[in-house]
Amino acid sequence: MQRSKPCGFRSAETMRFSMLFSLSGPIGPVVIGISLGFTLSLLSVTWVEEPCASVGKGGDETVLTQEEKLKGARKPNSIPAGNTENGDALEDFEPRIVPYKPVKQQTQPKKLFRAKYISTELGIRERVFVGVLTSKNTLNTLAVAVNRTIGHHLSTVVYFTGMRNRKLPHGMFVVTHGDERLIWNMFQTVKYVLEHYIHEYDWFYFVQDDTYTEADRIKSLVGHLSIDAELYMGSPEEFIGGETEGRYCYGGFGYLLSRTLLLRLQAYLESCRNDILSARPDEWLGRCIIDYANVNCVDEHEGLRYHRFEMGKNSDPSKEDDVRFKNAFTVHPVSDPVQMYRLHKHFTEIELQRTYEEIEKLQAEIKNISEVAFEGNRSSQWPIGINPPFEPKTRFEVLRWDYFTEDQVYSCIDGSPKCELHGIDKADVTDVIETAMGELNKKYKPVLHLKKQQLLNGYRRFDPTRGMEYTLDLQLEVVNQKGRSRSITKRVHLVRPLSEIEIIPMPYVTEATRVHIILPLTVHDRDYVNQFLEVYAANCFETSENAILSFLFIYDPFEAQQVNQNDIFMDVKAKISAYEHKYPVTKIPWISVKTEAPSQIKIMDIISKKHPVDTLFFVANVNTNINSEFLNRCRMNSINNWQVFFPIHFQDYNPDIAYHNQPRPATVDLVKDAGHFDRNVFDEACFYNSDYMAARTRMSADVQENEDILETFDVYDMFIKYSNLHVFRAVEPALHQKYQYRVCNPRLSEETYHRCVQSNLEGLGSRSQLAMLLFDQEQGNST
């Protein structure tokens, strides 16, 4: 292998010097002198060992010093001057000094904006906006009829009018332009939509108030149209006079405008108002779209047709057999609200019949498919199309069948073996029997006619995957076509399936609301305060929970007289001071109240006056273990001017009964043998002060007639009777209370006193635990 020759600056100069000396004899002395001078000048430079450099293109040599090799970069003076082929690349190696510029400190940090809803943050728009063009004379008649027929099918419906009456229809969003000129109103309507709704919707549907709209069909149409199309869709009409080429959409049948088309038209809207003269608003808008967007009205796009039907004068919708009428999206003209409602009834029946036909078609397809399965038709569930029955994985998940007759039910809420069938249960059984008889007669007519004699046996159970299931043994009288009859017994099975789940819109709430916890204390609650404060301090004080705890000390008249000599809450107040000293940031206010009957309403009257109207209250119990999980649910379930929340806590059974002759566990889990959700207690509640004040104001008239209701009613009864708010009552696993025998005050109402007694009885133990205790006692007595 050939070895490369070492290279260096000195050896190269020596070679060149010898070559020049041999070739230039006459000028040798001159060359020697020049070389000698150059050599002497080099001796004054400090030399280091130089590595060999690779030979580049064109034979140019590149030499790196040891310092440059260690640093991995060239020195500035080692870069050749002038323009070279790789001059741009060499420029990257030049050191640059960037002057330091201190960043200006902002006085206030920029607030990060986060949208309330995911759809807003992701830019997801609603599908269709509806604008109804009405007038002062028809706003309270035809426009109301339009709102009642389409308002609950479409998310946003806005009514545009030039002038309006003083009294606006309830539940309608009306925009008044202040002028009766039709073209001006059309211009203002489009302008209003562009300013307020253009970024929220993909399609814009405009219709007159004398037109019936089948809302579901319009929604289905826009659901199949591309949002990027510049589309002007409706009933195409020729311009009057024929001067303008193209077609506009006749306003009587309504028309669809895409968001893309409206955005394109936005810049020319003022020009349309000034330049285009027309007598009709739909013609004016059509000319504007054609002139500045070059888009004509069409009634078909990508295979989708805009169906409409012109209604004859005084025609009856139920007698109309035209196929175009049955398939129409809009019907025009509608003369009065009664005809509007008749049209809506007719089209609703058409859609209902089509739905039934589609269900039957799907059921037939399921039957045909199941025939090729391994088990044949037995593989298809009954009823066809309904979820299969719930399959329990353990014996504890087996669903219970309840036995009933026409008058009695053998599974009662209070645990009794038998009770009378009444109320909604009675109506449910009656409806099921009538449905069974109707289906039987539908199946056997006209050969047989069946009449119910009596219900022999009835069974029902609730399946969470299907709905309510029934099994009925009916004694029937069967009559044939010849009039002969006989009595038979027939077993039928029915299912009342679960209806479609509907999402109810709720007002926006946040978990950042501060909760004011009100803890009423009587003399019987003093022994439980230490445990309450220990749990509360660990869950709220140490975590800096956004909550304020306030104590309410309740004295009876005798205890109030002795407060200076013997304060029954002296130890509790000392404990509060100790916690305030331990947690300096925390303040625990307290209030003293004197009353013989400590009812919730009297207590809240005092608390309500000392807090702002937007205060969120949580009325607690001394045995309540409060944590952040529950406080967040209190914030989310209590909605100002909408809903109040009454949680159902989990209470432990009496440990002497639940763990009879057994060691007591250190912690109690939420299982059925350890305790129960006490549905008889309404002491704990979450509500806003403004909602309490509103209900309390409505209650004042009855209080003037009978002051005793302040003592007999609690806050739950007040909200039920004197407010229109939603009262949300639900089990709350985060509220866990230890067993305590409640002292029932006989001065309260009979119902409240009965609930207190019932709570004490049910809180002793489960039925099996009480039965075992009785069994042990009987065994002991027998011995």
Side-chain angles (χ1 to χ4, degrees), residues 68 74-82 84 87 90-95:
E68 291 169 338
R74 295 176 181 267
K75 289 184 178 181
N77 57 6
S78 67
I79 299 175
T84 60
L90 295 177
E91 289 291 331
D92 295 337
F93 290 93
E94 292 186 6

Side-chain angles (χ1 to χ4, degrees), residues 17 21 24-37:
F17 181 79
F21 182 73
S24 55
I27 59 174
V30 178
V31 174
I32 293 174
I34 295 173
S35 300
L36 182 61

Side-chain angles (χ1 to χ4, degrees), residues 83-299:
N83 294 329
T84 60
E85 293 181 2
N86 58 347
D88 294 336
L90 295 177
E91 289 291 331
D92 295 337
F93 290 93
E94 292 186 6
R96 295 180 176 87
I97 299 176
V98 180
Y100 172 72
K101 295 181 179 180
V103 180
K104 295 182 180 180
Q105 296 292 334
Q106 297 181 356
T107 56
Q108 293 181 354
K110 186 177 180 181
K111 186 177 180 180
L112 179 63
F113 172 76
R114 294 303 300 271
K116 290 182 179 180
Y117 304 102
I118 296 176
S119 60
T120 305
E121 194 160 338
L122 297 180
I124 301 174
R125 294 184 292 270
E126 294 287 341
R127 202 63 182 168
V128 60
F129 167 88
V130 179
V132 180
L133 307 176
T134 182
S135 64
K136 178 181 179 181
N137 297 328
T138 59
L139 178 61
N140 291 282
T141 54
L142 283 173
V144 172
V146 171
N147 185 66
R148 290 178 177 176
T149 54
I150 70 173
H152 55 287
H153 291 275
L154 300 165
S155 59
T156 303
V157 182
V158 180
Y159 298 84
F160 298 95
T161 179
M163 303 294 290
R164 62 177 177 85
N165 298 322
R166 288 186 177 181
K167 186 177 181 181
L168 284 177
H170 179 69
M172 294 171 56
F173 183 26
V174 180
V175 177
T176 305
H177 298 315
D179 198 323
E180 289 291 346
R181 291 176 296 174
L182 299 179
I183 305 301
W184 171 263
N185 288 336
M186 190 74 250
F187 164 76
Q188 290 293 341
T189 297
V190 177
K191 182 180 179 182
Y192 185 90
V193 169
L194 285 169
E195 291 176 352
H196 295 86
Y197 296 103
I198 193 64
H199 300 295
E200 300 179 14
Y201 295 88
D202 292 324
W203 292 95
F204 297 85
Y205 173 67
F206 295 95
V207 66
Q208 297 174 183
D209 60 359
D210 60 345
T211 303
Y212 173 76
T213 301
E214 218 296 338
D216 291 331
R217 295 180 184 178
I218 293 294
K219 288 168 60 178
S220 177
L221 175 63
V222 299
H224 292 81
L225 293 173
S226 174
I227 62 176
D228 295 330
E230 292 185 355
L231 189 60
Y232 179 32
M233 194 174 193
S235 177
E237 296 288 340
E238 296 286 347
F239 286 97
I240 298 175
E243 298 177 358
T244 304
E245 296 182 358
R247 291 185 171 188
Y248 72 97
C249 285
Y250 175 52
F253 295 112
Y255 44 88
L256 277 171
L257 297 173
S258 65
R259 177 176 178 269
T260 308
L261 179 60
L262 281 178
L263 286 174
R264 183 177 175 184
L265 196 67
Q266 186 173 16
Y268 308 104
L269 197 60
E270 292 288 344
S271 300
C272 292
R273 185 191 64 171
N274 299 327
D275 300 340
I276 299 177
L277 299 178
S278 180
R280 295 170 52 91
D282 48 4
E283 284 191 12
W284 174 84
L285 182 61
R287 288 183 179 179
C288 181
I289 295 174
I290 293 172
D291 291 347
Y292 293 97
N294 196 25
V295 177
N296 283 277
C297 176
V298 296
D299 61 353

Side-chain angles (χ1 to χ4, degrees), residues 404-425:
F404 63 89
T405 63
E406 293 186 64
D407 301 317
Q408 306 287 337
V409 61
Y410 290 80
S411 57
C412 307
I413 298 177
D414 58 358
S416 301
K418 182 177 69 171
C419 56
E420 183 180 357
L421 195 65
H422 64 277
I424 191 66
D425 291 323

Side-chain angles (χ1 to χ4, degrees), residues 384-634:
I384 296 177
I386 303 297
N387 292 331
F390 172 76
E391 295 183 1
K393 297 181 180 179
T394 64
R395 62 187 179 91
F396 301 104
E397 297 178 353
V398 176
L399 301 179
R400 184 187 69 182
W401 286 92
D402 296 332
Y403 180 79
F404 63 89
T405 63
E406 293 186 64
D407 301 317
Q408 306 287 337
V409 61
Y410 290 80
S411 57
C412 307
I413 298 177
D414 58 358
S416 301
K418 182 177 69 171
C419 56
E420 183 180 357
L421 195 65
H422 64 277
I424 191 66
D425 291 323
K426 179 72 172 180
D428 176 59
V429 172
T430 302
D431 180 61
V432 169
I433 294 175
E434 291 178 355
T435 303
M437 293 305 303
E439 293 295 326
L440 287 173
N441 280 303
K442 186 188 300 184
K443 181 178 181 180
Y444 294 107
K445 274 187 176 182
V447 180
L448 299 174
H449 179 70
L450 293 86
K451 297 179 181 179
K452 180 184 75 71
Q453 292 181 336
Q454 64 173 329
L455 174 65
L456 299 177
N457 302 295
Y459 309 89
R460 67 179 180 181
R461 72 173 183 180
F462 178 73
D463 190 329
T465 62
R466 290 158 57 90
M468 188 69 76
E469 298 181 354
Y470 304 87
T471 299
L472 305 179
D473 293 332
L474 296 169
Q475 185 174 346
L476 307 172
E477 181 186 1
V478 182
V479 182
N480 61 13
Q481 291 178 328
K482 296 181 179 181
R484 297 177 182 178
S485 64
R486 60 174 295 186
S487 180
I488 64 171
T489 301
K490 183 72 173 179
R491 168 166 284 191
V492 295
H493 302 276
L494 300 95
V495 174
R496 191 191 298 274
L498 295 172
S499 60
E500 183 180 358
I501 298 175
E502 181 181 359
I503 299 177
I504 301 176
M506 300 288 286
Y508 177 74
V509 293
T510 176
E511 294 182 354
T513 306
R514 173 171 292 180
V515 181
H516 289 254
I517 303 171
I518 309 300
L519 182 64
L521 289 180
T522 62
V523 65
H524 306 286
D525 302 325
R526 293 177 300 178
D527 298 336
Y528 306 98
V529 174
N530 289 340
Q531 191 269 343
F532 173 86
L533 285 174
E534 289 178 4
V535 175
Y536 185 86
N539 294 334
C540 299
F541 288 160
E542 295 182 2
T543 59
S544 299
E545 181 66 40
N546 189 17
I548 297 178
L549 175 63
S550 300
F551 280 81
L552 186 67
F553 299 124
I554 302 174
Y555 297 85
D556 62 25
F558 177 77
E559 295 167 349
Q561 292 177 358
Q562 305 293 326
V563 68
N564 293 328
Q565 295 81 15
N566 182 21
D567 189 356
I568 58 174
F569 295 110
M570 182 179 298
D571 296 339
V572 178
K573 295 175 182 178
K575 196 72 175 178
I576 291 174
S577 300
Y579 274 95
E580 289 180 339
H581 180 73
K582 183 177 181 180
Y583 301 97
V585 183
T586 303
K587 298 297 180 183
I588 308 176
W590 52 267
I591 304 173
S592 297
V593 178
K594 181 182 71 171
T595 179
E596 294 181 357
S599 68
Q600 274 191 326
I601 296 181
K602 285 186 175 181
I603 293 172
M604 284 308 305
D605 284 346
I606 299 172
I607 298 296
S608 177
K609 296 176 182 178
K610 297 181 178 296
H611 291 82
V613 294
D614 59 345
T615 303
L616 174 59
F617 288 128
F618 168 50
V619 182
N621 188 285
V622 71
N623 293 298
T624 305
N625 293 331
I626 300 175
N627 52 33
S628 298
E629 180 183 355
F630 166 73
L631 290 179
N632 283 333
R633 273 200 283 271
C634 178

